[in-house]
Amino acid sequence: MKKRRRRFSAKAAKRLKKRLWIALLMLLILLGLSTCTVVKTRPDYDALLLDAAASGETERGRAAAGERNALVRRGLMQEPSVDYDELLLLARLIEVEAGDRRYSDDYRLCVGELALNRVASPEFPDTLREVVEQYRQYPCALEPEFADLRPSRANAALALRLLKGERHLSPAVLYRSSRQIGPAFARFYDRQEGYIYFCESVYTELYAP
């Protein structure tokens, strides 16, 4: 009897072990499916930001940016945080300074990047709004209609790319002019305006790496 009882116990233990492995495998599969579900159902925050900017839904854009930035802080998104008001302001600036269809995306990116270079520069104010509203720098931004301007989704997308870190110019590029007023880092040709230069500060030592 003792021998049969031991054999039965061994078989029972083997069956129990098998069931435990099956249960563990099912649990792992369920966890994997739930993770995939979370990823698939997460909103496309970039699209929400662009839609809000183009439609003038400021509160909706701020809410989307807040949710997105919370994920960034928690390490669930490997991207930089984005301030919606800065996105809207930069998109509006690109719209009024380079919104004409004859300008290329590269040119528009340079227009927006120049403004961000000024924010980072010791020669200009420290915030994007102060840079945009600085006396005699961007007169278009002081017009009443600028505050209500709805930028195109395309220009908002360019602004978002810049705020997420895309760069094409040297950090020392601070000026755009129809004549070369310093070391020229980039040059574009326009049929109506001729050559347009993106020029570096004369104080290039301030921007040495």
Side-chain angles (χ1 to χ4, degrees):
M1 289 293 292
K2 290 183 179 178
K3 191 172 182 180
R4 287 183 62 191
R5 196 172 292 142
R6 279 198 209 97
R7 192 179 297 128
F8 177 79
S9 298
K11 287 182 178 179
K14 189 175 182 180
R15 285 197 299 268
L16 179 61
K17 186 176 181 180
K18 185 177 180 180
R19 288 173 182 171
L20 287 173
W21 274 111
I22 293 173
L24 179 60
L25 181 61
M26 293 298 295
L27 179 61
L28 291 174
I29 291 173
L30 288 172
L31 287 173
L33 288 174
S34 65
T35 302
C36 291
T37 301
V38 170
V39 172
K40 287 180 181 178
T41 57
R42 179 184 294 172
D44 184 344
Y45 288 109
D46 287 358
L48 292 175
L49 293 175
L50 300 183
D51 290 341
S55 62
E57 298 177 83
T58 301
E59 293 307 316
R60 180 185 169 202
R62 288 172 179 165
E67 292 176 13
R68 179 188 181 281
N69 293 340
L71 293 176
V72 172
R73 288 192 296 271
R74 291 164 57 192
L76 299 177
M77 286 186 68
Q78 303 303 314
E79 292 191 352
S81 297
V82 172
D83 182 280
Y84 176 76
D85 291 287
E86 282 195 348
L87 168 65
L88 182 59
L89 181 58
L90 188 59
R92 284 171 172 167
L93 182 67
I94 294 173
E95 185 83 20
V96 297
E97 290 285 307
D100 194 293
R101 291 183 179 181
R102 72 180 190 270
Y103 295 122
S104 67
D105 283 354
D106 287 341
Y107 178 80
R108 297 179 194 197
L109 283 167
C110 287
V111 168
E113 186 175 345
L114 186 150
L116 295 180
N117 278 356
R118 289 186 174 189
V119 176
S121 168
E123 301 179 61
F124 286 86
D126 297 329
T127 69
L128 183 60
R129 182 158 297 280
E130 289 176 319
V131 163
V132 170
E133 295 180 352
Q134 189 175 17
Y135 180 63
R136 296 185 67 179
Q137 297 303 312
Y138 295 104
C140 57
L142 302 179
E143 298 295 329
E145 56 269 22
F146 183 82
D148 298 316
L149 178 66
R150 295 183 183 180
S152 69
R153 200 177 190 281
N155 284 331
L158 295 177
L160 182 59
R161 285 166 57 181
L162 291 170
L163 290 176
K164 289 168 70 172
E166 184 175 332
R167 292 292 182 270
H168 299 273
L169 299 175
S170 157
V173 174
L174 303 174
Y175 304 98
R176 176 173 54 116
S177 175
S178 57
R179 59 188 180 87
Q180 191 170 339
I181 57 176
F185 188 87
R187 184 180 69 173
F188 294 86
Y189 180 77
D190 178 71
R191 291 181 180 178
Q192 297 183 23
E193 299 181 49
Y195 282 105
I196 303 172
Y197 300 91
F198 286 81
C199 301
E200 295 181 332
S201 166
V202 295
Y203 305 105
T204 52
E205 67 277 4
L206 295 175
Y207 308 92

